[in-house]
């Protein structure tokens, strides 16, 4: 680490927090929540240390990137030092624990204020953890994030002082994080904060805001009693997943994910000190961290579980499935013991764990958990509570991923109708369910129903979100697919060009979603016999996907498969064969020799052999393809039937199935 900051600074603060934690634990139970927050703070700092040591860390970048962190570190160190000073006074005033503590409490009228500051520091460091995770993916501009936190603190202070116009709305909803977030977002936009910046850091900001609200820091101030209490976080999350990846011959399916989830935790800041950074010190700090973490987790402190829950969500958002799963299972089991198997927080963790399974295509495990959560939420909350509907929405997606169209449709219709009643016909969650239901119709080749729903969602999302919001573009992309499936090439092309240009601006020219639309547009050109345009775009997408995904990623192979078809349409047999051999061998390795996509390429390669009069190779490969299709897809499947007819034509006789 450089720029006047080192890991030893984190170690120093960690040691200070550990000393203060131990002291407050012994002092008095009246402010036991301070002990809990100090323990969580220490655990979070160990996470900061791990992130700081990562090669892509925020801490390895330029000094401007560290400004926000340094401010947080300085305020955190100052606060903990003040708490330690109070402890030192306590130790010097005698041995009668109760009477001495009373004297300390009476002499420190700002003790409750310090307690509230500690809550803010813990929430702050927690949110910054998620920002560190974002920075490893190159998505953070850290001049902006501290300004957003500062603005949120300022609005919260106005509310506590009774000076904010939104105070009544904010304190009307006890635990309605989403209502509070809407008010804060409106206030921040009102003072000139860009909507795009708020959206970028929304996960971390929502965690910070949620913590402020739970700890009463959004309530108008009243005279404080001497007891500071803390309630566990209720982590409600709403992952809305509509997923489709490019597969098959000239057809691709786009996956859209609408996650409404509070993830991440926020950070405090650090200033460098002249300290020897020895291996011994690092080891001691790690041992201290392990001790405190073990102590917190052995007690299964609700705030520690809340932090772990959020961290698991952060891992999942970074596609670190194994870490997300491991942490999710730990939190689920602990919350079952500490809270109850059907406590809302336990169910929230199970809901998120099911999403982690689904992200790994472990459909059965995801389905099992989602059914449990759905039934429990119906009992504990209500059949039409937003959280219940969120789980039903996800379960419908899990059914769709398993091609169980009827079950997916039935559940999707239920959720759509309920969300229209409970939320509104144009609420983002309602639109997400309608978007997914349209995909279910499309997968059943029910083009008219799919089109009708997609047009509704597209128009609503343009109004409610914006014409270039990623969710709006996702629906436009899918509507273009529906047009293409009906051979309405001009309408498909018009939409695809719009989406491609918007995604280049909003996401990036090589974002996977941008490349997905370009892949689709290339297919639309090919279906209109515009070979040169199809080829040019296909080559661009292939090269970009090799860089962004990998040379053997299924999406890359899908583009290569389609590009080979474009060469074949131009009678460029050698180029066609070269690509098809590459794709077939790669698909055998990546997907398996019997996967439908592998068999699709095998069929095309057999045709390529036949066009070059290599009859023996063509018949042999087509026969192999036919037998595997009959085994995997069934004798009546359209692809099996096509292979049978092709073999019959080549042999001049009816081929037996």
């Amino acid at each position: 680490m450089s720029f006047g900051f080192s890991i030893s600074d984190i170690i120093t603060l960690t040691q200070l927090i550990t000393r203060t934690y131990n002291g407050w634990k012994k002092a008095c139970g009246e402010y036991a929540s301070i002990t809990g927050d100090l323990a969580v703070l220490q655990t979070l700092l160990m996470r900061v240390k791990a992130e700081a040591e990562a090669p892509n860390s925020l801490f390895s970048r330029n000094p401007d990137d560290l400004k926000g962190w340094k401010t947080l570190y300085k305020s955190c160190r100052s606060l903990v030092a003040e708490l330690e000073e109070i402890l030192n006074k306590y130790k010097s005033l005698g041995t009668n624990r109760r009477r001495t503590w009373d004297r300390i409490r009476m002499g420190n009228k700002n003790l409750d204020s310090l307690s509230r500051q500690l809550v803010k520091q813990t929430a702050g460091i927690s949110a910054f953890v998620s920002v560190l995770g974002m920075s490893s993916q190159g998505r953070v501009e850290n001049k902006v994030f501290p300004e957003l936190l500062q603005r949120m603190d300022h609005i919260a202070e106005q509310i506590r002082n009774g000076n904010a116009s939104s105070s009544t709305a904010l304190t009307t909803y006890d635990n309605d994080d989403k209502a509070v977030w809407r008010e804060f977002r409106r206030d921040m936009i009102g003072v000139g904060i860009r909507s795009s910046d708020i959206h970028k850091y929304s996960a971390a900001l929502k965690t910070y805001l949620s913590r402020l609200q739970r700890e009463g820091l959004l309530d108008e101030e009243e005279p404080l009693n001497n007891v500071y209490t803390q309630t566990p976080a209720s982590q409600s999350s709403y992952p809305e997943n509509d997923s489709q990846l490019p597969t098959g011959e000239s057809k691709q399916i786009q996956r859209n994910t609408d996650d409404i989830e509070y993830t991440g935790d926020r950070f405090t800041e650090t200033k460098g000190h002249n300290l020897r950074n020895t291996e011994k010190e690092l080891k001691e700090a790690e041992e201290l961290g392990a001790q405190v973490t073990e102590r917190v987790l052995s007690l299964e402190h609700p705030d520690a579980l809340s932090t772990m829950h959020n961290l698991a969500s952060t891992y999942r958002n970074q596609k670190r499935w194994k870490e997300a799963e491991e942490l999710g299972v730990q939190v689920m089991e602990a919350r079952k013991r500490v809270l109850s198997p059907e406590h809302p927080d336990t169910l929230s963790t199970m809901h998120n764990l099911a999403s982690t399974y689904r992200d790994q295509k472990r459909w059965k495990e995801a389905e099992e958990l989602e059914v449990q959560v759905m039934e429990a939420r119906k009992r504990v909350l209500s059949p039409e509570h937003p959280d219940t509907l969120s789980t039903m929405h996800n379960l419908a997606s899990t059914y769709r991923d398993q091609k169980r169209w009827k079950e997916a449709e039935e559940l999707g219709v239920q959720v759509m109708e309920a969300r229209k009643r409970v939320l509104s016909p144009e609420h983002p969650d309602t639109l997400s369910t309608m978007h997914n239901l349209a995909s279910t119709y499309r997968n059943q080749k029910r083009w008219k129903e799919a089109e009708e729903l997609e047009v509704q969602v597209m128009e609503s999302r343009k109004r409610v979100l914006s014409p270039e919001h990623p969710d709006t573009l996702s629906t436009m992309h899918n509507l273009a697919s529906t047009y293409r499936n009906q051979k309405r090439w001009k309408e498909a092309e018009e939409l695809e060009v719009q989406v491609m240009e918007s995604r280049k601006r909003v996401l990036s020219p090589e974002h996977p979603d941008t490349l997905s639309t370009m892949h689709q547009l290339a297919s639309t050109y090919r279906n209109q016999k515009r070979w040169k345009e199809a080829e040019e775009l296909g080559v661009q997408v292939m090269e970009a996907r090799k860089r962004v995904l990998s040379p053997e990623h299924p999406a890359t192979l899908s583009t290569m498969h389609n590009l080979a078809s474009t060469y074949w349409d131009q009678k460029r047999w050698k180029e066609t064969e070269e690509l098809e051999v590459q794709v077939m061998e790669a698909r055998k390795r990546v997907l398996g020799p019997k996967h439908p996509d592998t068999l699709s390429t095998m069929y095309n390669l057999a045709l390529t052999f036949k066009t070059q009069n290599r009859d023996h190779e063509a018949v042999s490969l087509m026969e192999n393809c036919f037998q595997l299709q009959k085994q995997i897809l069934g004798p009546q499947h359209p692809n099996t039937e096509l292979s049978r007819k092709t073999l019959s034509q080549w042999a001049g006789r009816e081929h037996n199935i």
Side-chain angles (χ1 to χ4, degrees), residues 310-494:
N310 284 359
L311 183 57
S313 293
T314 301
Y315 285 150
R316 188 165 65 83
N317 289 332
Q318 296 174 339
K319 306 188 191 305
R320 295 159 65 177
W321 315 127
K322 290 301 176 187
E323 292 161 288
E325 178 185 342
E326 184 180 336
L327 209 50
V329 170
Q330 282 182 49
V331 177
M332 177 181 70
E333 296 303 331
R335 281 181 160 171
K336 282 181 178 178
R337 288 190 299 272
V338 173
L339 302 174
S340 77
E342 293 199 345
H343 187 281
D345 290 358
T346 308
L347 298 177
S348 177
T349 301
M350 293 168 70
H351 173 104
N352 283 10
L353 181 58
S355 294
T356 302
Y357 288 145
R358 198 172 62 250
D359 289 331
Q360 298 174 82
K361 305 187 190 307
R362 292 159 61 179
W363 315 126
K364 290 300 177 188
E365 291 161 287
E367 178 186 343
E368 183 181 338
L369 261 186
E370 284 164 349
V371 169
Q372 284 181 48
V373 176
M374 177 181 69
E375 296 303 331
R377 280 180 162 172
K378 283 180 178 178
R379 286 190 299 272
V380 174
L381 302 174
S382 76
E384 292 199 346
H385 187 280
D387 290 358
T388 309
L389 297 177
S390 175
T391 302
M392 292 168 69
H393 172 105
N394 282 10
L395 179 57
S397 293
T398 302
Y399 287 149
R400 198 176 68 253
D401 289 329
Q402 298 175 82
K403 305 187 191 311
R404 293 159 61 179
W405 312 124
K406 289 301 176 189
E407 292 161 288
E409 178 185 344
E410 183 181 339
L411 207 51
V413 169
Q414 280 183 49
V415 177
M416 177 181 69
E417 296 303 332
R419 280 181 160 171
K420 282 180 178 179
R421 286 191 300 272
V422 174
L423 302 174
S424 77
E426 290 200 338
H427 188 281
D429 291 358
T430 309
L431 297 177
S432 176
T433 301
M434 292 168 69
H435 173 102
N436 284 11
L437 181 58
S439 294
T440 301
Y441 289 147
R442 197 173 59 252
N443 285 315
Q444 297 175 81
K445 305 186 190 306
R446 292 158 63 180
W447 313 125
K448 289 301 178 188
E449 291 161 288
E451 179 185 341
E452 183 182 340
L453 216 46
E454 283 164 348
V455 168
Q456 283 182 49
V457 175
M458 177 182 70
E459 296 304 330
S460 294
R461 280 180 161 171
K462 282 180 178 179
R463 284 191 299 272
V464 174
L465 303 174
S466 78
E468 290 200 335
H469 188 282
D471 292 353
T472 310
L473 298 176
S474 176
T475 303
M476 292 169 69
H477 173 104
N478 283 9
L479 178 58
S481 295
T482 302
Y483 288 149
R484 205 175 63 252
N485 285 319
Q486 298 174 81
K487 304 188 190 306
R488 292 158 62 181
W489 309 123
K490 287 301 178 186
E491 291 162 288
E493 179 187 342
E494 184 181 339

Side-chain angles (χ1 to χ4, degrees), residues 493-560:
E493 179 187 342
E494 184 181 339
L495 263 186
E496 285 161 353
V497 169
Q498 283 182 49
V499 176
M500 177 181 70
E501 295 304 330
S502 294
R503 280 179 162 171
K504 282 180 178 179
R505 283 192 301 273
V506 174
L507 303 174
S508 77
E510 291 199 345
H511 187 281
D513 289 353
T514 309
L515 297 177
S516 177
T517 302
M518 292 169 69
H519 169 102
Q520 188 164 295
L521 179 57
S523 294
T524 301
Y525 287 149
R526 187 165 63 82
N527 283 307
Q528 296 177 83
K529 307 187 190 307
R530 291 158 63 180
W531 315 128
K532 290 302 177 187
E533 291 161 289
E535 179 185 343
E536 183 180 337
L537 208 52
V539 170
Q540 280 183 50
V541 177
M542 177 181 69
E543 296 303 331
R545 280 181 161 171
K546 283 180 178 179
R547 286 190 300 272
V548 174
L549 303 174
S550 75
E552 293 198 345
H553 187 280
T556 310
L557 298 177
S558 177
T559 301
M560 293 168 69

